[in-house]
Amino acid sequence: MNWSDLLSLTAGELIAPTTAAYALAAIGLNIHFGFTGLLNMGQAGFMLVGAYGFAATAQAGQGFPLSALVGVACSVVFALILGIPTLKLRGDYLAIVTISAAEIVRLIGRSSVLSDITNGAAGIPASRFNKDFLGLSVLPDGRTALGPFSYANNVGDGWWTRIVAWAAVLLAVLLVWRLMSSPWGRVLKGIREDEDAVRSLGKSVYGYKMQALVLGGAMAGFAGILFVMPASVQPDAMGRSMTFFIWTILLLGGAATLWGPVIGSMIFFVALMFIKTVMRDVLPSVLRPEQLEPLAGILVGITLMLLVIFRPQGIFGDKKELMLDVR
Amino acid sequence: MSAELSSPTPLAQTAAQALAGVSPEPGVAKPDPIIVADDVVRRFGGMTAVDVRHLEVQRGAITALIGPNGAGKTTLFNLLTGFDKPNSGNWEFNGRRLNGVSAGRVARAGMVRTFQLTKALSRLTVLQNMQLGATKQPGEGFFTSLVKPLWAAREQEITTQAEELLVRFKLDAKSDDFAGSLSGGQRKLLEMARALMAKPELVMLDEPMAGVNPALTQSLLGHIQTVRDEGTTVLFVEHDMQMVRRIADWVVVMAEGKIVAEGPPSAVMENPAVVDAYLGAHHDTDLGDESVMAEGVLEQLEAEEATE
Ligand SMILES: Nc1ncnc2c1ncn2[C@@H]1O[C@H](COP(=O)(O)OP(=O)(O)OP(=O)(O)O)[C@@H](O)[C@H]1O
Ligand SMILES: [Mg+2]
């Protein structure tokens, strides 16, 4: 096995746009679940809606800022539609509604109903919508190498996308820090602990839950835009397993922590790439290539189970804090 | 028992004086009511949990709501504070109709309640629990929260107020601990202190003394009187008749959803309807301290039992 290949492949995942997109989506889910206690089981749906909104606007020839705004706005509307009927009900209803809504979006996306916009199951290739985004790049054309990282500057999977993606992640972390150390964040955490207690103190719980759902959903919308930038809007790549990965990342890093979703995403994708690469090298005699992907998925599932059993608070979480649940 | 409690404060006297001329009968009108409720009915299936014809709660007084288990006290609290919806009925708080108003609005109108089963916010610190109780914090708005100078000054005031209350409730040493690490009694104290953060006009306490140790109960009673003396009306549910007798200016008795008696503590405890509600229906009910009931009543009761 070629060790330097293995290293540069796995290290590349650290700063990959996909890693950033997942980190941002996990930050959004952290606002939902970690801070407010909302069970959103369809974060990938928010991403897909954002990606479609963005791609459709960009294809129509609008610039990146407007297209991104439309994409995020679509996710916000999605959040409102899901939140209005469910946030007054018990927590499980939101879980059921989000998981089905995400599936509905994906199924409509891959069907031929709206194929003018979505291009059906084939999806929309990035070349149709990322020109304006890449045109905004401040980098010169060409290729840049930094340590083990060597990418073209201004292509979908290049430096410019990475820079914008990670800048967005940092901005989101900063925003979460500001919000969660403010009285607004205190109300959210109160709602997570006991809605009725917060209600008895005169706060409009429904309004706060809606704000949290919309904010986390908007972050997922932008994450969706970042996710499709290097490749394409592929509905089947943004389904249940994506939601499941985002949850894994959040629990891995630690819910209700500031950096948990970011570090969780990095560790998740580095580990996944490591496993896949090693398996590809070691197991070709036993497994056919198309069997590798599901096997990696199984390993992720096992990791998640072990995590929940042995380190439920995640990497950054405070075990003491978690113990309080068990009264 | 303790000197501070037995010597009534001037305000206690005014509250008692205001109620002095009120005749002790169910649903009687008060000179200055803060709550007026009419025909409030709540049914669970075929069972009528609350059926209150008319109830007035005097402003500035401590009113105790007593009654056997399952009498509908908590349900009445839930209805009045917007946590439950009645089948029929309406009520006013400060002259403002409050039926159909959401729980958050009711609290903002100045009517804050605590829960029989304590609701401490476990993974918030004791201090954060307190801060959450405060009102008029602009930093609780999404956009203002982003700009700290807009809310830092108010936060400072809130923190000072919270720390003072925590000292009063002997929780100051726990200020930075998670509320989930508090004992049951400490949670009761925290919840009451938290309710007071909003400086409510009316505070409704559902069994504030349950699970609090006797030594602390003394000071808790003192706190409740202080709260009243500072101008807050108190309505509280309590099973311990001694407590009720000691601090209540007025007692309302519920049984099977209805208000069966009202009056000053001493009069109510001797009321046959009350004895009936407690002992008649449940002869095996343990009232705790027997000396609570006036001796004459007990004798009478024993005599009744003997003739049966
Ligand atoms: N959610 C509910 N569903 C069905 N029945 C209920 C519900 N809540 C209360 N009840 C019934 O209503 C009646 C009154 O209950 P409530 O909790 O108001 O009593 P309480 O006076 O507070 O009693 P306690 O002193 O034991 O706290 C009880 O018989 C109870 O079983
Ligand atoms: Mg009760």
Side-chain angles (χ1 to χ4, degrees):
Chain A
M1 187 188 325
N2 186 339
W3 283 100
S4 77
D5 268 9
L6 177 68
L7 268 181
S8 69
L9 262 177
T10 49
E13 289 296 295
L14 272 182
I15 60 162
T18 311
T19 310
Y22 271 89
L24 187 57
I27 292 171
L29 185 63
N30 198 21
I31 294 174
H32 293 158
F33 174 72
F35 292 108
T36 322
L38 299 177
L39 280 173
N40 172 7
M41 287 291 166
Q43 190 71 329
F46 286 84
M47 294 174 76
L48 186 55
V49 167
Y52 273 138
F54 162 74
T57 319
Q59 279 190 96
Q62 301 298 327
F64 175 73
L66 181 67
S67 314
L69 208 66
V70 169
V72 170
C74 287
S75 299
V76 167
V77 170
F78 190 59
L80 290 172
I81 292 172
L82 299 190
I84 287 169
T86 53
L87 288 181
K88 283 216 161 102
L89 307 172
R90 234 178 37 213
D92 351 12
Y93 291 95
L94 181 68
I96 297 165
V97 167
T98 45
I99 198 169
S100 15
E103 276 300 280
I104 290 169
V105 171
R106 183 180 70 86
L107 292 172
I108 291 179
R110 75 191 304 285
S111 74
S112 53
V113 192
L114 291 173
S115 59
D116 288 350
I117 303 171
T118 64
N119 202 23
I124 314 165
S127 56
R128 292 204 205 155
F129 56 73
N130 70 5
K131 282 198 200 66
D132 192 71
F133 171 72
L134 297 172
L136 291 177
S137 173
V138 294
L139 304 173
D141 282 344
R143 214 181 158 77
T144 310
L146 263 180
F149 310 121
S150 171
Y151 308 103
N153 290 345
N154 299 326
V155 299
D157 191 16
W159 280 109
W160 175 240
T161 309
R162 280 174 173 74
I163 290 169
V164 173
W166 285 103
V169 169
L170 283 183
L171 214 64
V173 169
L174 194 70
L175 183 67
V176 167
W177 167 77
R178 174 67 285 164
L179 286 170
M180 293 311 157
S181 55
S182 81
W184 186 81
R186 190 164 62 212
V187 179
L188 290 198
K189 291 181 213 166
I191 292 171
R192 175 190 69 194
E193 299 303 309
D194 193 317
E195 272 185 52
D196 277 344
V198 176
R199 221 169 254 136
S200 78
L201 298 172
K203 325 283 175 202
S204 53
V205 168
Y206 179 69
Y208 280 97
K209 289 208 286 194
M210 188 60 90
Q211 289 172 22
L213 188 68
V214 164
L215 179 64
M219 286 184 177
F222 198 73
I225 297 171
L226 295 173
F227 180 77
V228 298
M229 207 56 92
S232 63
V233 186
Q234 240 295 339
D236 290 336
M238 302 172 85
R240 282 163 315 211
S241 62
M242 181 181 230
T243 298
F244 176 62
F245 284 178
I246 299 169
W247 272 96
T248 309
I249 286 167
L250 179 62
L251 297 181
L252 180 66
T257 62
L258 190 57
W259 290 100
V262 180
I263 306 298
S265 182
M266 289 175 158
I267 294 176
F268 179 82
F269 281 103
V270 166
L272 195 64
M273 181 56 83
F274 184 84
I275 293 168
K276 277 198 231 168
T277 316
V278 170
M279 282 195 315
R280 207 174 294 134
D281 261 27
V282 178
L283 299 175
S285 47
V286 201
L287 287 172
R288 276 173 280 120
E290 66 269 23
Q291 289 174 317
L292 284 175
E293 198 70 32
L295 185 61
I298 291 170
L299 286 175
V300 169
I302 293 174
T303 317
L304 180 60
M305 285 199 278
L306 293 177
L307 190 74
V308 170
I309 295 168
F310 292 108
R311 203 174 163 81
Q313 75 275 32
I315 293 167
F316 283 92
D318 180 353
K319 180 99 184 206
K320 272 216 306 282
E321 203 169 310
L322 205 83
M323 297 290 281
L324 295 173
D325 272 354
V326 196
R327 256 178 284 161
Chain B
M1 270 169 227
S2 77
E4 49 164 309
L5 288 173
S6 54
S7 67
T9 57
L11 276 145
Q13 281 168 344
T14 49
Q17 273 163 16
L19 288 164
V22 180
S23 68
E25 52 197 47
V28 68
K30 310 289 182 316
D32 181 15
I34 190 165
I35 286 188
V36 181
D38 282 294
D39 300 312
V40 181
V41 176
R42 175 67 165 114
R43 291 190 202 90
F44 293 109
M47 194 272 256
T48 306
V50 168
D51 180 7
V52 169
R53 289 281 155 65
H54 188 79
L55 172 67
E56 297 190 5
V57 176
Q58 170 73 4
R59 187 190 312 276
I62 299 178
T63 303
L65 181 61
I66 65 170
N69 293 119
K73 307 179 294 291
T74 301
T75 309
L76 181 62
F77 264 36
N78 289 344
L79 293 171
L80 293 180
T81 51
F83 279 88
D84 194 3
K85 301 241 178 313
N87 294 83
S88 66
N90 47 62
W91 57 93
E92 285 177 0
F93 172 71
N94 262 338
R96 188 180 147 194
R97 271 176 71 120
L98 275 192
N99 37 317
V101 173
S102 73
R105 287 241 174 86
V106 171
R108 285 199 289 280
M111 183 167 158
V112 176
R113 58 93 53 97
T114 65
F115 295 88
Q116 181 168 6
L117 299 171
T118 5
K119 294 185 184 296
L121 306 168
S122 298
R123 284 179 295 171
L124 260 56
T125 66
V126 168
L127 182 64
Q128 285 172 330
N129 263 269
M130 295 294 288
Q131 290 167 325
L132 198 59
T135 52
K136 301 197 186 73
Q137 167 53 285
E140 285 180 2
F142 177 79
F143 291 106
T144 32
S145 77
L146 296 171
V147 188
K148 191 168 179 181
L150 293 178
W151 51 263
R154 176 70 184 133
E155 187 76 352
Q156 193 54 51
E157 287 169 22
I158 289 172
T159 310
T160 312
Q161 189 199 346
E163 280 163 352
E164 282 167 13
L165 272 172
L166 285 177
V167 171
R168 221 208 267 178
F169 283 81
K170 303 212 166 41
L171 285 171
D172 46 325
K174 296 273 178 190
S175 178
D176 295 324
D177 293 0
F178 282 124
S181 72
L182 296 182
S183 74
Q186 287 169 329
R187 286 177 202 208
K188 278 270 170 205
L189 294 175
L190 173 61
E191 197 175 287
M192 184 170 157
R194 191 176 65 195
L196 295 179
M197 280 297 289
K199 300 190 174 143
E201 266 187 81
L202 169 68
V203 64
M204 298 173 56
L205 309 168
D206 201 344
E207 304 201 15
M209 260 74 93
V212 176
N213 90 58
L216 212 52
T217 316
Q218 291 291 331
S219 61
L220 201 54
L221 291 179
H223 295 329
I224 294 178
Q225 285 179 320
T226 313
V227 167
R228 185 234 2 236
D229 296 351
E230 285 166 2
T232 302
T233 309
V234 180
L235 177 63
F236 77 112
V237 173
E238 184 52 59
H239 282 294
D240 187 331
M241 298 300 175
Q242 259 185 326
M243 305 299 152
V244 172
R245 189 189 278 267
R246 291 252 293 286
I247 63 163
D249 300 311
W250 193 260
V251 181
V252 175
V253 188
M254 275 185 88
E256 291 167 6
K258 296 189 172 61
I259 292 178
V260 295
E262 269 193 61
S266 49
V268 159
M269 309 268 171
E270 287 163 19
N271 186 329
V274 179
V275 179
D276 249 25
Y278 269 89
L279 298 178
H282 309 274
H283 271 274
D284 52 345
T285 306
D286 184 5
L287 266 187
D289 193 347
E290 286 186 341
S291 68
V292 163
M293 309 302 286
E295 275 171 44
V297 178
L298 272 178
E299 276 160 21
Q300 183 193 331
L301 211 81
E302 273 158 16
E304 262 179 38
E305 205 128 45
T307 56
E308 267 172 29

